[in-house]
Amino acid sequence: MKRADIEPFFATLKAANPTPQTELEYTSVFELLAAVLLSAQATDVGVNKATRRLFPVANTPQAILDLGLAGLESYIKTIGLYRSKARHLMETCRRLVEEHGGEVPRTREALEALPGVGRKTANVVLNVAFGQPTMAVDTHIFRVANRTGLAPGRTPLAVEQALEKRVPPAYAVDSHHWLILHGRYVCQARKPLCFRCSVAAWCDHKPKTTA
Ligand code: SF4
């Protein structure tokens, strides 16, 4: 994708959805962190179903600790890999209480030091909760960035770094939402829906699919 095409590409995505949001449901920074931690290799819909039961009962690090491991597992066992996620979330809650006064830290270094929190999770929290222009590259962003020529890269980190260089500052904070949603609903993995794609004019992918 030519550099001059990147601005209209994002302007078009923004015009259709000026204030994009994550599809994970949360009402606090801790709920967001917990939901993202639970969402690895799971759908947002599946995580929301579990957290709609969990968060009314326990939505702070101390409250999750008070549930105990078996108690936490009983709320999230519909989510894939729930046993390891429960262990990670319990340990993360313990560290938040002991080391951060029960608050979610605001730096990448402190976030990535938490159990079960990798670079992508840290990027989501830094972006969605703290408004930083981080690029949380998931499977959808990885595919869209490569397929369109927006920010090609062989690894998620390479795509993240390419996006940081290529996305105009005005779109940086919201860009990962637009790319995820575009990948999830239009530029889908098995067959992109080019025939109803609003940004086809700037996308390098050929041949475009037809209805
Ligand atoms: S034109 Fe096709 S390949 Fe390009 S972004 Fe749209 S759906 Fe994806």
Side-chain angles (χ1 to χ4, degrees):
M1 188 184 296
K2 292 198 285 290
R3 191 167 279 274
D5 290 342
I6 296 176
E7 207 284 334
F9 175 92
F10 279 109
T12 302
L13 294 177
K14 180 175 182 176
N17 185 3
T19 54
Q21 309 288 330
T22 175
E23 293 186 335
L24 286 172
E25 295 170 0
Y26 69 99
T27 61
S28 68
V29 180
F30 173 72
E31 285 189 2
L32 174 67
L33 173 64
V36 179
L37 193 152
L38 295 173
S39 72
Q41 295 177 50
T43 64
D44 290 357
V45 172
V47 172
N48 290 340
K49 268 191 199 157
T51 58
R52 277 179 207 155
R53 295 191 302 268
L54 172 65
F55 289 156
V57 178
N59 72 342
T60 65
Q62 187 60 57
I64 299 265
L65 288 173
D66 292 345
L67 281 180
L69 185 60
L72 174 59
E73 284 180 352
S74 72
Y75 285 99
I76 66 168
K77 64 187 174 196
T78 51
I79 302 174
L81 309 174
Y82 77 95
R83 286 186 194 280
S84 64
K85 289 176 181 176
R87 278 199 308 278
H88 283 148
L89 183 53
M90 289 298 281
E91 184 61 12
T92 280
C93 288
R94 189 184 65 74
R95 299 268 297 268
L96 291 177
V97 169
E98 292 178 0
E99 299 171 18
H100 300 284
E103 300 292 323
V104 177
R106 302 175 76 100
T107 67
R108 171 186 301 288
E109 190 184 25
L111 284 166
E112 289 188 15
L114 297 169
V117 179
R119 187 177 182 89
K120 184 164 75 71
T121 297
N123 278 336
V124 174
V125 173
L126 290 170
N127 179 293
V128 175
F130 301 131
Q132 295 187 25
T134 51
M135 303 290 173
V137 177
D138 71 347
T139 182
H140 298 299
I141 296 189
F142 186 78
R143 180 178 67 256
V144 172
N146 274 293
R147 194 184 259 165
T148 60
L150 168 65
R154 286 171 180 256
T155 65
L157 182 59
V159 167
E160 178 184 327
Q161 290 167 339
L163 286 168
E164 283 173 355
K165 279 196 203 123
R166 303 255 293 167
V167 177
Y171 303 105
V173 172
D174 287 331
S175 59
H176 89 273
H177 288 308
W178 288 314
L179 296 174
I180 286 173
L181 294 170
H182 193 64
R184 190 174 285 164
Y185 297 112
V186 182
C187 194
Q188 295 172 345
R190 289 173 70 191
K191 184 186 176 196
L193 308 179
C194 306
F195 50 90
R196 64 177 186 83
C197 174
S198 61
V199 291
W202 303 287
C203 164
D204 288 351
H205 181 71
K206 284 187 189 131
K208 301 285 197 272
T209 61
T210 51

